[in-house]
Amino acid sequence: ELENIGYNVPKVYFFSVNKWNISSETILKKIIFLFHGCQLAVRSSTKSEDTEDSSMAGAFESLLNISCDSKSIRLAVNQVISSFDNDITNQVLIQPMVVDTAMSGVIMSHVLDDGSPYHVINYDDKTGLTDTVTSGSTINKTVYIYNGVSENDFDSEYLKIVLRLVRSLQEDFPKIPLDIEFAIDKSYNMFLLQVRKITT
């Protein structure tokens, strides 16, 4: 529903494990129709993720840069499902990959340890990949931004865009500490990949 209130969220197609078991061929045709020519993200969405008590981030398989053909999609979906428990109502999400990425990362709206009023931005502006921060596969940059700061204090257009995203989300979800995954392309378009409540 985030796209309905003005956020640029990559298109999502989702289905349950049960539906995949019953009609995988129909689902494959639908995915290829919707995302023809795109590289895909095949992501987990289980009932145990993003609860009040725990995010379970990284506990289940998510695969990136999957080719949009039947064989590749089937293998990826089966691999994601094999990381789930036996609940057939768990879901798989399919999205197009963000291309020409200039910056990607994770924003905490507050400091994780003590909730102090600084936005903590861990980001990668070198590799062009969208998962280096979440996977911990590279050394990334971290910036702390006081939440009362003025945009005029920045010389980085990318950080201004990040600050606008955090402030907009905080207006829509007041008094909730947020964990935000984002990507910005080389044309300065912001993509909101995921947002959840900080559960620590």
Side-chain angles (χ1 to χ4, degrees):
E1 302 302 320
L2 286 164
E3 61 271 17
N4 295 334
I5 54 174
Y7 295 99
N8 187 15
V9 179
K11 182 189 290 188
V12 179
Y13 176 68
F14 63 92
F15 50 88
S16 68
V17 173
N18 186 50
K19 190 161 184 182
W20 176 258
N21 291 340
I22 293 168
S23 56
S24 63
E25 286 301 323
T26 302
I27 290 170
L28 285 168
K29 287 177 185 171
K30 178 79 170 182
I31 293 168
I32 291 167
F33 172 76
L34 288 173
F35 301 111
H36 178 73
C38 296
Q39 292 286 100
L40 303 175
V42 181
R43 306 177 67 150
S44 66
S45 180
T46 71
K47 287 187 172 179
S48 58
E49 291 178 88
D50 301 327
T51 66
E52 285 291 318
D53 301 315
S54 109
S55 76
M56 295 293 286
F60 304 99
E61 194 75 65
S62 286
L63 301 171
L64 304 181
N65 296 304
I66 303 301
S67 296
C68 193
D69 62 75
S70 291
K71 182 179 178 183
S72 299
I73 298 166
R74 183 182 293 281
L75 285 170
V77 169
N78 286 335
Q79 189 173 337
V80 169
I81 289 172
S82 71
S83 73
F84 293 173
D85 59 25
N86 292 325
D87 187 340
I88 60 172
T89 64
N90 286 330
Q91 296 178 331
V92 177
L93 310 181
I94 310 291
Q95 291 179 287
M97 292 294 298
V98 176
V99 297
D100 294 325
T101 304
M103 180 180 185
S104 66
V106 174
I107 312 156
M108 298 287 181
S109 63
H110 298 73
V111 176
L112 197 57
D113 293 337
D114 61 8
S116 57
Y118 291 85
H119 308 312
V120 184
I121 306 164
N122 291 295
Y123 67 95
D124 170 6
D125 61 355
K126 296 295 182 194
T127 69
L129 303 173
T130 58
D131 66 332
T132 57
V133 172
T134 55
S135 69
S137 62
T138 63
I139 296 172
N140 300 293
K141 298 174 183 173
T142 302
V143 173
Y144 288 76
I145 300 175
Y146 177 62
N147 71 9
V149 74
S150 165
E151 277 189 28
N152 297 330
D153 294 329
F154 292 91
D155 57 6
S156 167
E157 191 60 36
Y158 292 118
L159 286 177
K160 285 182 187 178
I161 294 168
V162 169
L163 184 62
R164 288 176 201 141
L165 175 67
V166 178
R167 287 181 170 169
S168 181
L169 285 166
Q170 286 188 304
E171 284 178 19
D172 289 325
F173 304 100
K175 299 182 182 176
I176 299 173
L178 300 174
D179 175 350
I180 304 155
E181 187 179 340
F182 73 94
I184 304 173
D185 70 15
K186 290 175 182 172
S187 298
Y188 297 96
N189 296 307
M190 167 64 81
F191 294 87
L192 179 57
L193 303 180
Q194 186 164 280
V195 60
R196 59 164 69 100
K197 180 179 179 181
I198 295 175
T199 55
T200 302

